[in-house]
Amino acid sequence: MDIKERVIQLIIEHLELAPADVVPEAHFIDDLGISSMDLWELVLVMEDEFGLEVPDEDLEKIGTIQDAINFITAHAEEK
Amino acid sequence: MPTDDLDLSGQVALVTGGSRGIGRAIALRLSQAGAYVAINYSADDQAAKRTLLDLERGGGQGELQKFPVENFAKVQDAIKEFSKRKGRLDILVNNAGISRDQVLARMKPEDWHRVLAVNLTGAFYCCRAAARVMVRRRYGRIIVISSIIGRIGRAGQANYAASKAGLEAMTRSLALELAGRQITVNAVAPGYIETEMTLALPPKVRQEILDHIPSGRAGTAEDVAGVVLFLASGLSAYLTGQTLHLNGGLYFG
Ligand SMILES: NC(=O)c1ccc[n+]([C@@H]2O[C@H](COP(=O)([O-])OP(=O)(O)OC[C@H]3O[C@@H](n4cnc5c(N)ncnc54)[C@H](OP(=O)(O)O)[C@@H]3O)[C@@H](O)[C@H]2O)c1
């Protein structure tokens, strides 16, 4: 599985969402209706999953699923 | 995982200001209940070492964590390293606190800022860092040591009273944010507890306070530690956002 698939799989499992809704364009809060606390928890879980750390400043930049995929791809490559 | 009694075996705790006074009693009590306890402090190495030694003599396990709670970077680094190494952080007790008493006319801005920084901002920093670990694991117990002064006030303690009232308000907000993650946040507001902090009061003031306590005695650090143990345990799972007043009947909340 590539990073994109892993991120999407993680979101589906962790937030218990319908797979059809979890598309890269979807905005976590506006489209998926998850709370900012859910989003924070998801980011923390992704940190563990991918062995990286999301600095506080970058947390705010994650709006859509694509943002999360981009962030993780960029930082996973750094390693 | 959390049990439905006071047993804390396998759990990991951090007690800020855990080297002396009330924090020390809390650290020892949590340790007796089975938790691994990190004792935080910022200055007095001797006192901290003594507390750790006593904890180990009692059959417990723990370590020292020296950092000033008012320094965000240090708090974050220490809590991150500690919780990674231990693989968890179940219990955070925000107990570190100072007083700089002065009547309004003589209270310097630095007295005000210093007390707010350590008592209130320091607790916020620790909560923020600890919540990262607790949210991941969907379990946590955060306990804040407030004071009766946060409610009834006292001349010469505007800074201290404000910091404690602020802590109680923060407790309620964080309780709401974290409730869905099985993380409880509660405050304990002791009345008059005999420690170095209160022994520094003039004897006349101390006697006056004692005369007004219905229980007829000052509280002990162990009195506070017992209530903190309850809040740290699985027994208090449905209690959150509350301030428990612990004062021998002096004030009812
Ligand atoms: N005693 C009472 O009657 C009473 C009543 C109500 C509430 N309280 C509250 O209970 C708490 C403990 O009071 P206490 O009487 O036990 O005080 P204490 O005997 O003076 O002990 C204070 C503890 O906090 C640590 N500390 C101080 N500044 C710190 C900092 N910036 N960063 C990290 N640790 C720091 C001290 O260690 P270092 O000096 O080494 O840093 C020490 O371990 C406080 O929050 C206090 O407001 C006390």
Side-chain angles (χ1 to χ4, degrees):
Chain A
M1 262 202 280
D2 63 8
I3 288 181
K4 181 181 162 189
E5 287 169 47
R6 282 170 67 195
V7 170
I8 290 188
Q9 197 54 38
L10 197 78
I11 293 169
I12 293 169
E13 279 168 19
H14 197 79
L15 298 174
E16 294 170 7
L17 294 167
D21 295 334
V22 184
V23 291
E25 310 78 67
H27 191 279
F28 283 108
I29 292 170
D30 298 344
D31 298 325
L32 299 176
I34 73 170
S35 70
S36 54
M37 181 57 79
D38 291 329
L39 182 56
W40 193 40
E41 184 184 297
L42 180 71
V43 170
L44 294 173
V45 169
M46 288 198 291
E47 285 184 349
D48 290 344
E49 174 76 19
F50 294 97
L52 46 82
E53 250 172 59
V54 181
D56 291 337
E57 314 82 80
D58 292 333
L59 191 59
E60 293 159 26
K61 294 183 200 145
I62 297 177
T64 64
I65 292 177
Q66 188 63 52
D67 293 338
I69 294 168
N70 292 348
F71 184 88
I72 289 163
T73 309
H75 291 267
E77 276 167 5
E78 271 172 22
K79 294 180 56 124
Chain B
M1 258 294 111
T3 53
D4 61 358
D5 56 27
L6 294 173
D7 181 27
L8 302 178
S9 300
Q11 297 199 31
V12 173
L14 168 65
V15 181
T16 71
S19 61
R20 292 189 280 115
I22 294 173
R24 174 191 146 90
I26 293 170
L28 296 176
R29 195 75 193 78
L30 296 182
S31 170
Q32 283 157 14
Y36 182 96
V37 182
I39 299 164
N40 158 263
Y41 69 106
S42 73
D44 186 344
D45 296 313
Q46 286 312 314
K49 282 184 191 151
R50 257 199 312 276
T51 298
L52 181 59
L53 200 66
D54 288 345
L55 183 150
E56 288 169 347
R57 280 199 184 120
Q61 283 189 310
E63 65 183 63
L64 298 181
Q65 279 286 347
K66 185 177 183 179
F67 59 84
V69 291
E70 68 278 17
N71 182 320
F72 184 52
K74 293 209 166 120
V75 168
Q76 229 181 1
D77 290 351
I79 292 184
K80 196 181 285 178
E81 188 282 323
F82 174 61
S83 57
K84 265 208 180 121
R85 176 160 45 81
K86 299 303 295 177
R88 58 197 293 168
L89 176 58
D90 305 279
I91 301 157
L92 166 67
V93 184
N94 292 290
N95 163 82
I98 58 166
S99 56
R100 289 275 172 90
D101 299 357
Q102 270 312 338
V103 290
L104 184 59
R106 284 202 221 123
M107 186 176 288
K108 298 191 201 77
E110 54 265 35
D111 296 329
W112 172 270
H113 287 299
R114 178 89 193 123
V115 169
L116 268 289
V118 173
N119 296 11
L120 180 57
T121 311
F124 165 69
Y125 290 163
C126 293
C127 286
R128 194 167 184 288
R132 290 176 65 89
V133 191
M134 294 176 176
V135 166
R136 271 191 181 93
R137 302 189 66 248
R138 295 199 177 185
Y139 180 81
R141 290 280 182 275
I142 297 176
I143 297 125
V144 165
I145 307 302
S146 178
S147 165
I148 187 175
I149 304 303
R151 294 288 177 95
I152 66 174
R154 180 180 290 152
Q157 294 200 313
N159 50 1
Y160 184 81
S163 74
K164 295 302 187 181
L167 278 175
E168 291 179 25
M170 181 186 82
T171 294
R172 290 186 283 271
S173 287
L174 295 186
L176 290 172
E177 288 189 32
L178 298 168
R181 300 304 186 276
Q182 317 318 320
I183 300 167
T184 65
V185 190
N186 290 291
V188 178
Y192 183 81
I193 309 296
E194 211 104 65
T195 66
E196 281 167 44
M197 187 183 259
T198 47
L199 287 172
L201 291 170
K204 200 167 144 264
V205 177
R206 284 179 51 213
Q207 193 51 51
E208 249 169 52
I209 299 171
L210 285 174
D211 289 344
H212 284 96
I213 301 173
S215 295
R217 67 168 176 91
T220 64
E222 287 70 28
D223 287 327
V224 182
V227 175
V228 171
L229 172 61
F230 165 67
L231 292 175
S233 76
L235 281 182
S236 59
Y238 203 53
L239 183 77
T240 195
Q242 303 295 325
T243 296
L244 300 186
H245 291 276
L246 187 76
N247 53 39
L250 198 56
Y251 170 76
F252 294 130

